[in-house]
Amino acid sequence: MRVLVTRPEPGGSNFAGLLEAGGHQCLLAPIARIEPLSVDLPSPTDVAALVLTSANGLLAFSGHGAIPEAFLGLPLFAVGDATADAARAAGFRAVRPGPGDGARLVSVIRDELLADREASRDTEGRAGLVCHLTGDRLAVDVTAALTDAGIAARSIAVYRTRYVTTLPDAIATALDDAALDAVTHFSAEGARRLVALSVASGRAEQLASLRHYCFSPAIGEALGRALAEHVSRGRGGLWIAVSQKPNSQELLALLGGGAAR
């Protein structure tokens, strides 16, 4: 298939490479870029554990040279296998891969930390904060959920996502020339933005006619709502396939023959 990949770098190139290795043709045209933010991290002695709901959270350390050894030894909860692999590659040693989505990751963190508290009979549990290294837009408020469970937590925005304001020329041309078969969607906000850009350029129907492969059910739901507002075919006429487990390998398998809904 001829597949449009709009995922920001570096994830976009990595996923496009996997698609091409599987025999697909890719148009890589990111509609956003990831920018690190300048932040003051807490002392590692004040941190009980780190949380990454995206590998982009590792940008927290991009302006600090080598990651301090004291951070590398902290427990690190990663949303899924790909983020866990990125954390290990950066040198973190105590990485806990999560179930693949932020909401279920919160349950994993809560259960482990509360079990530690019960085992130690320490009303404070592990000393220090659970620090969620996140972007400027929160898909899941990890800090609020942990705080509600009585676990001290803090969110630190370490990167921001900058979306383009007009449909990239490469995408516009491909839609005009009917040179695409499918699109991959990795975030609900990215899916909504792509639809909005297509509507603004008068290409919503062309976008809606493609096969849409979504990283998670929540993304598929957001995409379906956004498209149905602007195209004549309605939601029943859209081709949307959803990965039930939000990871790249599941999405690749879906592209190899998943059923649409």
Side-chain angles (χ1 to χ4, degrees), residues 49-62:
L50 299 171
V51 179
L52 295 182
T53 45
S54 165
N56 291 324
L58 293 170
L59 291 173
F61 304 100
S62 61

Side-chain angles (χ1 to χ4, degrees), residues 42-131:
S43 167
T45 58
D46 296 328
V47 177
L50 299 171
V51 179
L52 295 182
T53 45
S54 165
N56 291 324
L58 293 170
L59 291 173
F61 304 100
S62 61
H64 298 268
I67 301 175
E69 174 63 26
F71 275 113
L72 295 175
L74 289 172
L76 186 149
F77 294 92
V79 67
D81 291 338
T83 301
D85 288 344
R88 293 189 190 99
F92 288 92
R93 298 187 297 276
V95 178
R96 278 80 157 165
D101 70 76
R104 288 192 293 162
L105 178 65
V106 169
S107 296
V108 171
I109 299 169
R110 182 184 61 233
D111 291 349
E112 178 170 331
L113 295 186
L114 291 179
D116 283 355
R117 177 183 298 179
E118 180 65 23
S120 65
R121 301 183 183 278
D122 177 356
T123 58
E124 296 299 322
R126 289 177 182 160
L129 293 166
V130 176
C131 287

Side-chain angles (χ1 to χ4, degrees), residues 5-245:
V5 178
T6 62
R7 191 181 195 183
E9 296 291 20
S13 288
N14 293 339
F15 190 73
L18 293 173
L19 283 173
E20 289 171 349
H24 299 286
Q25 299 175 34
C26 290
L27 171 61
L28 177 59
I31 60 168
R33 67 180 185 273
I34 303 299
E35 297 179 348
L37 297 173
S38 178
V39 295
D40 292 323
L41 295 174
S43 167
T45 58
D46 296 328
V47 177
L50 299 171
V51 179
L52 295 182
T53 45
S54 165
N56 291 324
L58 293 170
L59 291 173
F61 304 100
S62 61
H64 298 268
I67 301 175
E69 174 63 26
F71 275 113
L72 295 175
L74 289 172
L76 186 149
F77 294 92
V79 67
D81 291 338
T83 301
D85 288 344
R88 293 189 190 99
F92 288 92
R93 298 187 297 276
V95 178
R96 278 80 157 165
D101 70 76
R104 288 192 293 162
L105 178 65
V106 169
S107 296
V108 171
I109 299 169
R110 182 184 61 233
D111 291 349
E112 178 170 331
L113 295 186
L114 291 179
D116 283 355
R117 177 183 298 179
E118 180 65 23
S120 65
R121 301 183 183 278
D122 177 356
T123 58
E124 296 299 322
R126 289 177 182 160
L129 293 166
V130 176
C131 287
H132 180 201
L133 304 178
T134 184
D136 58 339
R137 294 178 174 87
L138 286 174
V140 177
D141 194 341
V142 172
T143 293
L146 293 178
T147 300
D148 287 345
I151 296 169
R154 174 185 171 191
S155 292
I156 305 175
V158 300
Y159 68 92
R160 64 185 164 208
T161 306
R162 294 282 199 184
Y163 286 93
V164 300
T165 56
T166 58
L167 192 69
D169 290 343
I171 300 177
T173 299
L175 291 174
D176 289 344
D177 295 345
L180 292 169
D181 302 305
V183 189
T184 55
H185 301 276
F186 282 84
S187 76
E189 181 63 19
R192 287 189 289 263
R193 296 282 182 133
L194 180 59
V195 172
L197 294 173
S198 299
V199 170
S201 72
R203 295 176 174 88
E205 290 288 346
Q206 292 98 312
L207 181 70
S209 71
L210 303 176
R211 295 185 175 195
H212 297 268
Y213 292 87
C214 299
F215 196 61
S216 72
I219 296 169
E221 184 66 23
L223 174 69
R225 285 198 303 267
L227 281 172
E229 289 177 7
H230 299 288
V231 298
S232 59
R233 66 192 67 219
R235 293 189 69 172
L238 299 172
W239 202 106
I240 300 175
V242 173
S243 175
Q244 295 305 309
K245 294 181 180 179

